[in-house]
Structures are given as structure tokens and as C-alpha cells.
Amino acid sequence: MSKKAKRQSPVRNPTRPHDIDRWLERSGQQIVAADYTGAIATAQRVVRAPIASSQQRAEAFDRIGGACMLLQRYEDAFLAVTAAIELIPDTAVLWFNRGITARYTTRIGQSLRDFEHAATLDQEGLLAEKLAEVLPTAQSFVADSLALRGSDFTLDQLIEQERLFQAGVQLIKQQQWAEAEPFFRQSISMGDVLPQPWGNLGICMLMQRQFDAAEVALRRALEIDPGYLIARQNLAGLPAIRTSGKLPMLRINTAADHTAAKARLVLLPEPKRS
């Protein structure tokens, strides 16, 4: 054997269709066994496999979403189920699952819309019982949210306002303060009724050393809700921050509105494999 041949890396065995089926089955078994991190890693192998079909990749994203929910990684679960829907958009279970993840991430408007779409797709009534459990709560949450914002506020506007808030939250988690600021401002401009966008805007301004603007935002949060503890604590610490110039890691709020009602995802049933 030549020296050149010796230096070459060994050729990896290509992924075979049987591997995809095996990984999907294994990820489901890992969820049952409460090995949620392992289930995510196994399902990601399917997502990365070039030969995986859209159906198989959607199944894998569904597994990832279910495992993330059980790990309380709710935003990751929402994104995973959304990815599955993009691959097979006519599957009622996935719309139901995204309705659950949307509720846990306080996308109240999106949650109701997803449940309603799941009901439309569920022609055989397989989800009827579960939808009967979640729809009244979703409808109540949305009714309260729309009433708070005024008679002319629509479900579409609520969905957009909540999207803006969550986009800001994801940026603030990455400490991208300047990038997050306009999302909170846009959310507020659509309806100035909640303290959380003001509280998080206050943090964005403070971390950009715009202390006067931070104080205005935090005080506005407390005008809306005098019992908003996070804003009160951050406001109380502002004088010391002004004096020292040291910027601490402050508390943020990821929930724009209602506390999530408890519910679990429904995993896609495994098809019979040859």
C-alpha cells in the first residue's frame, strides 16, 4: 500500500434507508425511556441525513419537539414543530402540537389558530377529545387578550404583537440589546397594555447605558402593573448602576401574557415500515 493511501481517511459507510427507520424508532423509544437528550441527538441524525424523505424528517422534528417540551425547552420545541409543519403541512397532529408549544411560549393567538387548523384537518376526529380539552382555554385566553387591547384589535394583530415580543426575547437572551430594542418598541406600539415589553425594553436601554430611557421604561411597566416584581427590582438597582457604571445581568421576562396551561404533545404515530 502506498504512503498516500495510508494517509487517506477511511471511507465512512453511507447512510442507508434502514438506518433512517432505525433512528426514528430509537428516538421514540428514548422518549418513552425518558432519555430526552438522547432522543434529540438520535432524531437530529435523521434531520441531517441527505436521503431522509420529507415525511421522515418531519417525524424527526416531531420527536425533537416532544423531547424539548419534556426538557422544558419550550422555544426549541416550538421551532422544531414549526419545521415539521413546513415539511408536511397537512398533518393535524403537528398543528395540534404547535398549538401546545405556542401556548407554552405565550403565543396565545398563534395557539388558538393552530388548534383551529388542527380541527379542520382532523377529518377522522382522532384529535377530537384532545381539541375539546384545549380549545375552550385557548378561546378564553384570546378573548381576554383582545378585550384588553380594545374592540378593534384582531387575532392577526395579536399574533403579530406576540411574534414581535418573542423575537425581542430571543435577541435579549443572546445579549443583543440594540437589536432587541425595536422589537419591544413595535410590540408596544401595537397595544400598550402589558408591563413585560416595557420591562424588557428597560433592560435593553440599561445595557446600552441609556439610563434615563431605562428608567422611563421601567416606570411605565410599573404604571401598568404596580405588582410587577421584576421591573421593581431592576428599577431599585438602577441608582447603584448609574453610580458604579457596572452592568449586571438583570432579570428578564419571557412571558407576554397568560401563564401556560399544562398539556403534552402528541407524537406522530410510527408508520409501518417494510
Side-chain angles (χ1 to χ4, degrees), residues 12-272:
R12 294 183 179 179
N13 292 328
T15 302
R16 298 161 298 178
H18 176 72
D19 295 326
I20 304 295
D21 295 340
R22 180 166 53 84
W23 293 337
L24 285 170
E25 182 178 0
R26 183 182 177 193
S27 65
Q29 293 170 344
Q30 287 171 310
I31 290 176
V32 172
D35 180 10
Y36 307 131
T37 301
I40 292 170
T42 302
Q44 285 175 336
R45 298 181 75 177
V46 178
V47 170
R48 294 192 296 265
I51 68 168
S53 67
S54 294
Q55 176 70 36
Q56 290 170 325
R57 294 181 68 231
E59 286 183 55
F61 277 122
D62 184 58
R63 301 282 195 278
I64 292 169
C68 285
M69 282 291 291
L70 292 162
L71 289 169
Q72 299 184 2
R73 289 167 44 184
Y74 301 129
E75 182 67 20
D76 290 338
F78 178 84
L79 294 175
V81 179
T82 298
I85 286 174
E86 290 172 353
L87 290 165
I88 48 173
D90 296 328
T91 305
V93 167
L94 293 180
W95 287 95
F96 175 85
N97 285 347
R98 197 175 72 167
I100 297 296
T101 65
R103 176 183 289 182
Y104 271 77
T105 57
T106 65
R107 294 173 169 94
I108 304 304
Q110 189 65 60
S111 178
L112 175 59
R113 177 155 289 171
D114 288 352
F115 288 147
E116 290 177 338
H117 194 57
T120 299
L121 292 173
D122 186 33
Q123 297 296 316
E124 298 180 2
L126 300 178
L127 295 173
E129 185 175 342
K130 292 184 177 297
L131 286 166
E133 292 176 2
V134 298
L135 269 171
T137 301
Q139 290 164 343
S140 176
F141 281 176
V142 167
D144 290 344
S145 294
L146 295 181
L148 183 65
R149 289 158 174 80
S151 59
D152 294 333
F153 211 83
T154 67
L155 177 57
D156 284 337
Q157 288 174 309
L158 178 61
I159 291 171
E160 175 62 10
Q161 187 181 41
E162 292 173 340
R163 184 196 69 79
L164 289 167
F165 179 85
Q166 288 300 332
V169 166
Q170 298 315 307
L171 289 167
I172 212 174
K173 285 181 177 179
Q174 300 169 40
Q175 301 184 29
Q176 297 184 34
W177 316 110
E179 292 80 2
E181 176 191 342
F183 286 98
F184 293 123
R185 291 194 183 279
Q186 290 176 63
S187 177
I188 291 166
S189 71
M190 292 187 69
D192 184 8
V193 296
L194 296 175
Q196 294 91 344
W198 281 109
N200 287 351
L201 176 61
I203 292 172
C204 289
M205 306 317 294
L206 190 154
M207 299 305 287
Q208 294 178 77
R209 298 184 181 275
Q210 298 183 37
F211 300 128
D212 290 342
E215 182 175 354
V216 168
L218 292 171
R219 290 193 182 280
R220 175 56 184 154
L222 291 170
E223 285 178 9
I224 298 173
D225 180 5
Y228 186 27
L229 184 59
I230 294 177
R232 188 168 297 282
Q233 291 172 337
N234 289 338
L235 184 62
L238 186 55
I241 297 171
R242 285 180 185 270
T243 301
S244 67
K246 294 181 180 179
L247 299 178
M249 180 56 67
L250 300 181
R251 294 182 64 192
I252 68 171
N253 196 309
T254 61
D257 210 331
H258 303 279
T259 301
K262 299 300 180 184
R264 295 185 64 172
L265 303 194
V266 179
L267 292 181
L268 283 173
E270 291 192 24
K272 295 180 180 179

